[in-house]
Amino acid sequence: KTVCVTGASGYIASWLVKFLLQRGYTVKASVRDPNNPKKRDHLLKLDGAKERLHLFKAELLEDGSFDAAIDGCEGVFHTASPFYHAVTDPQKFFCIDGQALLSWFQAELIDPAVKGTLNVLGSCAKTSSVKRVVLTSSIAAVAYNGKPRTPEVVVDESWFSDPDFCKEAKMWYVVSKTLAEDAAWKFAKEKGFDMVTINPAMVIGPLLQPVLNTSAEAIANLLKGSQTYANASFGWVNVKDVAYAHIQAFEIPSATGRYCLVERVAHYSQVVEILRKLYPSSQLPDKCADDKPFVPIYQVSKEKAKSLGIDYIPIEQSIQETVESLKEKNFIGATSSN
Ligand code: NDP
């Protein structure tokens, strides 16, 4: 069987391509820059790549860019979308006013996510070969709607983030994923598409690619001698479980709708505690970045993901695998996590 993976150089997509090749699929992989060894070589080295991996150059904002990669594929895994919060205070960073800032987020995050998704789905609509689209959405498109999230609350697939609430809170990445998933469902309904979305929380675990991605960086930052950790609680999930869930969502005929993927919700203070147990002599932050009460943890239902056969890797193992991989790739010094 032939399938397409968009944004194949990325963190999640690299594992997805690896597992698809292992299972005997032929993979048409879109990458933005196939001439850049850092975006390509780790894929070309995968088992089966020589025989069954084909790279295609494609850019989310170029109309029709994905046609060649998608034509002839039975399944399309659309993972490509910008993910970064790296510029935490872009206003200061860019010295630009509010309106220019909004335009910047629109151009850098929201347009590639929303128009890019419609562009990819448009290419799917041009060919009769595509039987199912698996869209990499996010818990960002699920859990951010202003409803309280406390330890008793169970977030599930029936929740949908509220873009206005997220814009108000200036959570631009969250806005981008919410609008992209919403636009995708509307398009799928209109065209009678079979689409399934995977909605993972913060993804951690080993890196295949040589470039540090945003979610693994969240762990790396805790090991770089910082004094404080953020007052934030996130769900966490292993990249291998996320990649496997994508494949199950394609292969299981009855898979439908959305699938939240979270092994455990943990506050940064708890992540630091796990790191301290694993690496007792490492330098870790010991206080919160603000004096406010800790942002509460909450629950995310595991029921639906069970039907994909997901048996989650525990957060402790995921954190350990992340650190070992970060060390191996020299994203953190060996001494910061002995
Ligand atoms: P990466 O940054 O590693 O991967 C993102 C991919 O998208 C890269 O291949 C990137 O290409 C590609 N991309 C970005 N902008 C464009 C563009 N304009 N045109 C073409 N390709 C583009 O992140 P992840 O692997 O973490 O993210 C993959 C998907 O998973 C995203 O949709 C993200 O929103 C979602 N997700 C991630 C989570 C996480 O914690 N990691 C959690 C929930 C969802 P290039 O390599 O050239 O930059």
Side-chain angles (χ1 to χ4, degrees):
K1 277 190 187 173
T2 302
V3 293
C4 171
V5 176
T6 69
S9 329
Y11 176 49
I12 296 172
S14 297
W15 276 99
L16 178 56
V17 172
K18 180 181 165 81
F19 288 167
L20 286 165
L21 290 171
Q22 267 173 8
R23 284 165 102 93
Y25 284 94
T26 294
V27 181
K28 295 174 86 175
S30 88
V31 294
R32 223 188 326 196
D33 186 1
N35 296 320
N36 180 348
K38 287 190 170 175
K39 301 290 176 179
R40 173 196 71 192
D41 286 1
H42 65 287
L43 296 173
L44 297 179
K45 277 189 218 140
L46 294 171
D47 283 347
K50 229 177 176 174
E51 302 79 23
R52 286 177 283 108
L53 177 68
H54 308 282
L55 299 187
F56 291 79
K57 181 178 163 65
E59 155 60 48
L60 285 169
L61 292 174
E62 271 169 35
D63 268 353
S65 196
F66 292 84
D67 286 0
I70 287 173
D71 189 34
C73 292
E74 232 175 272
V76 173
F77 299 91
H78 175 40
T79 86
S81 203
F83 178 25
Y84 48 84
H85 312 292
V87 184
T88 43
D89 190 356
Q91 199 140 13
K92 215 152 99 196
F93 192 82
F94 292 110
C95 301
I96 51 179
D97 63 27
Q99 193 49 47
L101 184 66
L102 277 184
S103 317
W104 185 82
F105 279 119
Q106 185 73 42
E108 295 297 320
L109 277 174
I110 299 175
D111 284 351
V114 180
K115 292 184 185 165
T117 296
L118 293 175
N119 189 19
V120 168
L121 294 181
S123 300
C124 296
K126 286 183 198 163
T127 160
S128 57
S129 65
V130 177
K131 302 288 176 264
R132 177 172 285 174
V133 176
V134 180
L135 173 73
T136 316
S137 185
S138 170
I139 204 78
V142 177
Y144 297 82
N145 50 20
K147 282 201 249 176
R149 281 181 280 134
T150 52
E152 323 72 60
V153 171
V154 184
V155 173
D156 67 19
E157 287 80 0
S158 69
W159 287 44
F160 215 102
S161 295
D162 173 0
D164 293 330
F165 170 80
C166 299
K167 279 180 194 164
E168 196 65 34
K170 300 189 166 46
M171 296 187 286
W172 302 110
Y173 169 71
V174 180
V175 172
S176 79
K177 295 302 284 183
T178 304
L179 293 179
E181 192 190 319
D182 186 49
W185 282 120
K186 286 184 180 135
F187 189 96
K189 209 167 168 193
E190 194 187 303
K191 303 277 176 192
F193 257 33
D194 183 357
M195 186 179 85
V196 176
T197 69
I198 300 294
N199 297 66
M202 285 281 268
V203 183
I204 54 173
L207 290 75
L208 293 175
Q209 85 286 1
V211 178
L212 183 57
N213 61 289
T214 297
S215 52
E217 194 177 24
I219 301 295
N221 285 341
L222 296 173
L223 290 155
K224 284 182 175 167
S226 158
Q227 305 287 307
T228 59
Y229 49 77
N231 188 3
S233 295
F234 289 121
W236 303 86
V237 61
N238 194 294
V239 66
K240 291 177 280 183
D241 288 336
V242 176
Y244 179 62
H246 279 73
I247 298 177
Q248 293 288 87
F250 173 63
E251 289 184 351
I252 298 175
S254 60
T256 179
R258 319 165 84 198
Y259 291 87
C260 292
L261 295 183
V262 177
E263 194 274 323
R264 202 183 312 165
V265 178
H267 188 270
Y268 267 110
S269 59
Q270 295 171 305
V271 173
V272 168
E273 277 322 300
I274 294 171
L275 280 166
R276 213 182 293 288
K277 277 202 185 113
L278 289 168
Y279 303 99
S281 60
S282 62
Q283 259 206 331
L284 287 159
D286 52 13
K287 50 181 192 295
C288 191
D290 64 39
D291 304 332
K292 295 180 191 147
F294 279 178
V295 171
I297 56 160
Y298 50 97
Q299 300 173 60
V300 179
S301 171
K302 294 184 173 178
E303 280 314 301
K304 210 171 164 220
K306 263 190 212 157
S307 66
L308 295 180
I310 307 300
D311 184 12
Y312 287 110
I313 297 168
I315 188 172
E316 290 81 2
Q317 186 182 332
S318 300
I319 290 176
Q320 185 166 21
E321 287 180 359
T322 316
V323 175
E324 293 307 314
S325 184
L326 290 169
K327 279 199 279 190
E328 189 207 306
K329 293 186 184 290
N330 290 321
F331 290 124
I332 52 172
T335 48
S336 60
S337 53
N338 286 332

